[in-house]
Amino acid sequence: MAPPPDPSTELLPGALSALLEEIARAPPVELEGGWDRLLRPGAVIGRFRLLREIGRGGFGVVYEAEDQELNRRIAFKAIRPGTAASGDRPEWLHREAEAVARLNHPSVVTLHDVGLCDSGPYLILELLKGEPLQARLARGPLPAPEALRIALAVAQGLAHAHREGVVHCDLTPGNVFLTEDGGVKILDFGLSRMLGRGSIVGGTRGFMAPEQWRGEAPDARTDVFSAGALLACMLTGAPPFPSAPGGAPPSYAGAPPTGAPEPIRAALAKVLVVDPAGRPQDGAALLALLSEAEAALRRRAGRSRRLLAAAALAALGAFAGALLFRAPPQRLRVAVAVADAENRTGDPRLDGLGGLLAAALEQSPRLRVISRSQLADRLGADRPARIDGAVARAAAARAEAQVLLLTVVRPAGAGYKLELHGADPASGEELFDGAGEAADAAAVPAALDALAARARQALHESEEEVRANGVPVARAVTGNLEAYQHYALGQECLDRPTSARSWLYPPVAECAAEFERALAADPDFPLAHFALALIEEIAAGDPRPHVEAALRHLDRIPARERELLRASEARLGGRVGEALARYGAVIDARPEDKQAVFLAGDLLQHRSEFASALPFLERAVELDPTLEWPLEHIAFDLGVLGRREQLRGWVRRWSQGRPGPAALHALSEAHGWLGEPGAAAADARRAAAAGILGADADLSRALLADDRLAEATALLEQVVARASDPSARWAHYQLAAALRAQGRPRAARAVLEALPQRFPDLRPDVVAGRIAELLVGERDPAAVRDACARANPVSANVCAIGLAYLGDVAGAAPYGARLERGSTAAELYQALAQWRAGDAEGALARLRAVERRQPAPWPLSLLAPSFLRGEICAAEGRDAEAVAALRAFEALYVSPLWRGWAIPRARLLAARSAERLGRPAEARAQARRLVAAFARAEPGQPEVAEARAIAARLLAPSVPDSGHAEPSP
């Protein structure tokens, strides 16, 4: 039996034009009358089952519906009959409809199919998740960079449509949709022109071009004007040209929004022109104009056009988003950069005086202090160890600092003399200077306070302002110069790109050691505790002791670090909205604070909000291209979300020059998600040749994905044999998975049971949880229950989902009760419980929803929703969906322990379903892969026997091929 055709390739322009001709002839139907008797949730129209109404408008009503042949959700848009513009000829409708059917662009909603039913005509469109721009504007105007981002996406869609000869004619906030992943979609393309609205051909008051009011034929320039009106509306929250009293045309007087940045105002002035001849001529010209405005904004503010607002709003709601991404307040502050101190004393304790001076200056409300880290970022990967002299001038100029401060410390008898020089970074001209003396090292912080006060007064602060906003640096930071020396060295270490070994281990070992030395010199140094807390947080350690220690001295912590510390406290307490709001407060004050941006992304990452995390992670790397920690997240997130072209762009970027350890790891991850395990293995081998820790993990993962099981097993056995290697623990888990994938479950379990002897610090209840994860594949609920009884509470998700999957709903219930309501684990457990209770349809609907939100399991101990969907569909005889779901599962580049049994199980299920569908070539391919993997299988494995039986049966010459077999995954 042939699979149903994909509607996205089935739609023909002629079908759409015929439909529009039918709409033109159809008599009017009352939307609130006869329609509702036929169009209602539960109704089945052709192959589409209506699920719920999701919107009404001038053209009709929209339902979320299920395509029962392809088992996917779509938008079913019933068109109100009788809405076609009077006097339009069918030939014109044909031409317009054929052009609309050709549109295919990420910024234009996809039209899959068309049809007619008893209630009238309908369109089948891609189902969007998110909200209309109109709903977003109801909460207030957008920040200028976000408004420009949306306008650029709209311009891209218009450029594509105008090239195809299609104009929209009704571009409004109601016809622009903001998707959950930050995308922008234009709705109802061409319908306004084809269906008309009253006496005016298309258009909505407040956004109509002057020629539309005059009744003239619209063209591409009409859309350009409406796009400009849309951008102005996003900036102010209201249409720029409301109708005059009595519905008369507006005056079209007035300048672009006064609050907008100058580059946007200049662009709007060229777009909102009354005479069409004076405007950009089409979407492509508009796109070029807006791109110039974006580039100007980037040059002026150094900010990415990929604004973070939409992602946070989609992930955590308007409250957290509004706090996190309100527009930065307009502050007239002097940008000051502080160079490393020139230490002529020979005492290394005085090397960090530049950082202490910066900490003193940050108390000023009149100054914006550019941190040493930000200066280092301007110097790229070849940054020197010291940022002083000419190097500091170059970095300060690139950071657009207005003043560069250089500190010199010299011996003076038994004490020290300190000099301060304020210079123009561009010209080198000295603007002011100052000097002070310290009798000994203990007096140096007070001398720095005096120099900071001198600088503030030279930059036009009064003595009263300095006194009102000044805390001695010894109290605000530390008075112990040795402690600050090690703290500064630790910060430099964190800013330094890794050159060898691993991008993960140095921050934990080398950098953390400097902060530990700082605490040895000053046990109450709160910033050192805070730095160690952040390292533990990012490296998945335990930051609580350091957070608690830093909180005991909260009044001594500078404002920025205080907000970040409070964010860590909220994060540990599960108060995600508060944590994001505090990160947002730092980003508001310091738009280029890469640490705050990354921490916000890392928080969203660990909540499985991958689409929301990405803009933060990409922005962090944009701020500092040498920043390594976000790279793995970027590769994983783009892979999970299926954004292959973006991922390929990062692959090209990471491949340039000589990739460092983090880039090689990210390359291996990216190639795996792109379905190129051979390339992923090659990346890992390059890393291994360079002696980088973690390369073996990347290599074994790539080998397993490439079905090179024997090679992966040999590698992992070598790693396991290295008892002193910190990577040997993870290698036990991957080795167990590799053995299980070869049909050797007893050998796999023995590997896990040996862990407590190899690693005495590893608790037996943790190992019991991993054994339970492995045993689910043996389909023995009693054995899983026994392991779960010995497992730690963290394994509740494994036990709840695993036992429910095996049909032991009663045994799963106590573990399911522990799961966080609404979490991915809870949703998977509920879906399996529904299935086992006889509600397969409800279970599949829940799994599809989880899969749309989170295709890959996170945490990795969770079974993938695509695997569970394939299992249920195969059991319910829905073989076409089963094969598609199992193919999607196998494409996931993840390597949890349970994948060792789930991949063979998925291939066995896919072979069964393909055989029932009459696709023997596909079934043969799956069976052959299983037989090859099971070459060294332990005796008595049922799946091994069945795989061999399928392969033998399908290899018989009497089995015909249906002629449309699909390639194996």
Side-chain angles (χ1 to χ4, degrees):
M1 181 179 69
D6 184 344
S8 64
T9 60
E10 178 185 30
L11 179 63
L12 298 174
L16 182 58
S17 61
L19 171 68
L20 269 297
E21 183 177 348
E22 184 68 24
I23 295 173
R25 296 173 179 153
V29 174
E30 286 295 330
L31 184 60
E32 306 299 334
W35 245 8
D36 285 349
R37 292 193 298 273
L38 299 169
L39 299 176
R40 64 186 186 281
V44 176
I45 299 173
R47 70 174 191 262
F48 306 106
R49 183 166 65 89
L50 306 186
L51 301 177
R52 64 186 183 95
E53 182 179 323
I54 56 177
R56 293 189 177 218
F59 294 132
V61 61
V62 184
Y63 289 88
E64 180 178 354
E66 181 183 19
D67 184 331
Q68 297 184 107
E69 289 187 11
L70 291 181
N71 294 301
R72 69 175 179 183
R73 299 292 174 91
I74 49 86
F76 181 101
K77 184 160 193 167
I79 301 297
R80 180 203 297 268
T83 55
S86 60
D88 288 328
R89 297 179 312 227
E91 304 85 59
W92 181 88
L93 284 173
H94 290 181
R95 290 196 303 272
E96 191 75 14
E98 287 169 0
V100 172
R102 289 196 300 269
L103 297 186
N104 180 19
H105 190 273
S107 293
V108 178
V109 66
T110 301
L111 176 63
H112 289 316
D113 204 353
V114 297
L116 285 167
C117 63
D118 292 342
S119 60
Y122 61 82
L123 308 178
I124 302 301
L125 305 156
E126 68 173 306
L127 182 64
L128 302 176
K129 298 294 184 180
E131 65 176 349
L133 176 58
Q134 187 173 14
R136 168 59 187 88
L137 291 177
R139 300 194 296 270
L142 294 171
E146 172 67 348
L148 184 55
R149 182 187 75 84
I150 294 171
L152 278 162
V154 169
Q156 289 169 348
L158 290 177
H160 170 73
H162 293 167
R163 281 195 297 271
E164 296 292 336
V166 180
V167 290
H168 193 288
C169 299
D170 193 24
L171 201 56
T172 71
N175 279 332
V176 174
F177 197 92
L178 308 179
T179 65
E180 288 180 346
D181 63 359
V184 178
K185 296 277 188 178
I186 307 175
L187 311 180
D188 290 345
F189 232 118
L191 288 186
S192 175
R193 183 162 166 80
M194 286 185 284
L195 302 183
R197 287 190 176 180
S199 60
I200 299 173
V201 182
T204 297
R205 288 174 171 83
F207 298 91
M208 290 166 54
E211 61 269 24
Q212 287 178 289
W213 282 100
R214 295 193 295 265
E216 299 171 4
D219 59 19
R221 297 170 298 179
T222 305
D223 283 348
V224 168
F225 186 95
S226 295
L230 185 73
L231 175 55
C233 180
M234 287 190 280
L235 295 167
T236 63
F241 304 114
S243 301
S251 66
Y252 291 106
T258 55
E262 177 55 32
I264 297 180
R265 284 172 49 80
L268 285 175
K270 297 177 181 177
V271 170
L272 299 176
V273 174
V274 173
D275 183 359
R279 298 178 208 146
Q281 296 301 290
D282 56 17
L286 174 66
L287 179 61
L289 181 64
L290 295 181
S291 297
E292 290 176 5
E294 182 208 27
L297 282 179
R298 287 165 62 89
R299 288 194 298 270
R300 290 179 51 181
R303 303 191 68 180
S304 170
R305 74 174 178 88
R306 182 184 292 276
L307 198 69
L308 312 175
L313 288 173
L316 295 164
F319 173 73
L323 284 174
L324 185 53
F325 294 111
R326 57 186 179 272
Q330 299 297 316
R331 301 185 180 97
L332 297 176
R333 299 192 298 167
V334 178
V336 177
V338 182
D340 288 338
E342 184 181 337
N343 181 8
R344 299 182 182 179
T345 68
D347 186 345
R349 295 178 302 168
L350 301 177
D351 286 343
L353 293 193
L356 279 175
L357 177 64
L361 293 170
E362 283 180 339
Q363 301 174 48
S364 168
R366 293 283 193 94
L367 304 182
R368 178 171 66 85
V369 179
I370 297 171
S371 69
R372 184 191 190 279
S373 174
Q374 290 172 313
L375 288 178
D377 293 345
R378 296 306 188 277
L379 298 172
D382 298 326
R383 61 191 69 175
R386 303 289 296 165
I387 303 179
D388 53 14
V391 170
R393 269 190 60 192
R398 293 175 192 173
E400 297 185 354
Q402 295 161 281
V403 179
L404 172 65
L405 296 181
L406 303 114
T407 311
V408 181
V409 55
R410 312 171 188 272
Y416 307 98
K417 180 180 180 181
L418 285 77
E419 300 174 4
L420 176 69
H421 301 275
D424 181 340
S427 65
E429 177 187 358
E430 185 161 305
L431 304 176
F432 58 86
D433 60 13
E437 294 188 355
D440 52 27
V444 167
L448 277 176
D449 288 330
L451 289 181
R454 165 74 183 107
R456 292 171 64 177
Q457 290 176 10
L459 296 171
H460 308 296
E461 280 190 69
S462 66
E463 291 186 24
E464 291 75 13
E465 286 179 302
V466 172
R467 283 196 298 269
N469 296 283
V471 177
V473 72
R475 173 172 172 75
V477 184
T478 181
N480 187 309
L481 294 181
E482 181 183 356
Y484 194 83
Q485 174 202 5
H486 289 296
Y487 174 79
L489 288 172
Q491 291 293 344
E492 290 176 28
C493 176
L494 291 177
D495 264 336
R496 198 164 52 239
T498 306
S499 58
R501 290 181 62 77
S502 168
W503 60 281
L504 275 178
Y505 290 104
V508 177
E510 179 186 348
C511 304
E514 292 293 351
F515 297 120
E516 295 285 2
R517 294 184 187 105
L519 287 174
D522 180 1
D524 293 331
F525 188 2
L527 287 183
H529 279 297
F530 174 63
L532 286 169
L534 290 183
I535 287 177
E536 291 293 329
E537 196 171 301
I538 294 168
D542 183 9
R544 294 176 192 275
H546 291 295
V547 169
E548 292 167 0
L551 286 171
R552 287 196 291 269
H553 304 281
L554 190 63
D555 60 334
R556 289 181 52 193
I557 299 178
R560 169 192 177 270
E561 286 76 9
R562 186 162 55 245
E563 283 294 334
L564 293 179
L565 178 62
R566 286 293 198 190
S568 295
E569 180 190 26
R571 181 173 182 167
L572 292 170
R575 303 189 305 278
V576 177
E578 179 188 342
L580 281 177
R582 291 189 181 278
Y583 290 139
V586 177
I587 296 170
D588 271 358
R590 299 165 176 255
E592 298 189 353
D593 194 314
K594 64 184 179 187
Q595 190 176 52
V597 171
F598 169 66
L599 287 171
D602 188 66
L603 172 57
L604 291 166
Q605 177 78 20
H606 284 87
R607 285 182 55 82
S608 306
E609 302 285 356
F610 305 129
S612 301
L614 258 175
F616 289 85
L617 301 169
E618 292 176 334
R619 172 65 173 157
V621 176
E622 180 184 346
L623 289 169
D624 179 4
T626 69
L627 194 63
E628 297 177 320
W629 287 342
L631 300 191
E632 178 188 45
H633 291 344
I634 290 173
F636 180 87
D637 293 356
L638 289 173
V640 167
L641 296 170
R643 301 183 187 177
R644 298 174 66 86
E645 287 309 309
Q646 282 182 261
L647 188 54
R648 289 194 184 280
W650 280 97
V651 166
R652 289 191 291 270
R653 177 173 175 177
W654 291 328
S655 300
Q656 293 173 357
R658 298 177 59 188
L664 285 171
H665 169 72
L667 277 169
S668 184
E669 177 91 22
H671 279 128
W673 280 106
L674 290 169
E676 302 165 0
D683 297 324
R685 292 187 194 281
R686 289 170 64 193
I692 296 170
L693 291 175
D696 288 338
D698 287 337
L699 179 55
S700 61
R701 184 177 171 195
L703 294 173
L704 289 171
D706 206 20
D707 283 341
R708 294 154 70 178
L709 301 179
E711 191 176 348
T713 301
L715 170 66
L716 291 165
E717 286 174 340
Q718 292 176 12
V719 179
V720 165
R722 300 198 295 262
S724 61
D725 193 327
S727 62
R729 186 175 303 186
W730 66 258
H732 282 74
Y733 299 131
Q734 282 209 3
L735 177 58
L739 292 170
R740 180 60 185 82
Q742 298 170 75
R744 301 169 63 188
R746 291 189 289 277
R749 182 169 180 174
V751 169
L752 296 182
E753 289 173 339
L755 275 167
Q757 289 76 38
R758 294 287 307 277
F759 302 97
D761 63 319
L762 187 59
R763 291 166 37 186
D765 60 346
V766 174
V767 177
R770 307 310 297 270
I771 290 174
E773 188 178 337
L774 182 71
L775 286 174
V776 173
E778 305 316 298
R779 314 188 73 74
D780 183 352
V784 176
R785 282 198 306 271
D786 178 66
C788 287
R790 295 180 282 108
N792 63 342
V794 176
S795 299
N797 56 6
V798 171
C799 297
I801 295 169
L803 288 169
Y805 167 69
L806 296 176
D808 186 3
V809 179
Y815 300 103
R818 301 179 195 171
L819 302 179
E820 180 186 353
R821 185 180 179 86
S823 66
T824 299
E827 288 296 297
L828 295 178
Y829 165 70
Q830 290 293 339
L832 291 168
Q834 282 180 272
W835 175 40
R836 294 303 184 182
D839 182 12
E841 187 59 44
L844 288 172
R846 191 183 291 267
L847 287 173
R848 292 187 196 108
V850 174
E851 191 176 349
R852 282 195 299 271
R853 184 177 70 248
Q854 188 177 324
W858 192 274
L860 290 179
S861 57
L862 302 181
L863 292 175
S866 52
F867 171 76
L868 296 176
R869 185 163 64 89
E871 179 84 60
I872 294 175
C873 286
E876 298 295 321
R878 305 173 70 147
D879 291 311
E881 184 177 357
V883 170
L886 295 167
R887 184 182 294 126
F889 162 63
E890 196 167 346
L892 298 177
Y893 192 65
V894 294
S895 56
L897 179 58
W898 55 265
R899 200 174 191 270
W901 61 261
I903 284 293
R905 175 71 179 171
R907 290 174 177 172
L908 187 61
L909 293 172
R912 290 178 189 166
S913 291
E915 186 177 13
R916 288 193 293 265
L917 288 168
R919 287 145 61 171
E922 186 175 350
R924 268 197 303 270
Q926 293 286 21
R928 281 172 169 161
R929 295 172 80 183
L930 283 170
V931 170
F934 292 154
R936 299 175 57 203
E938 295 168 356
Q941 300 301 312
E943 61 191 5
V944 176
E946 184 175 358
R948 289 171 177 164
I950 292 175
R953 184 167 65 250
L954 292 175
L955 286 172
S958 60
V959 177
D961 198 308
S962 61
H964 61 268
E966 301 177 19
S968 62

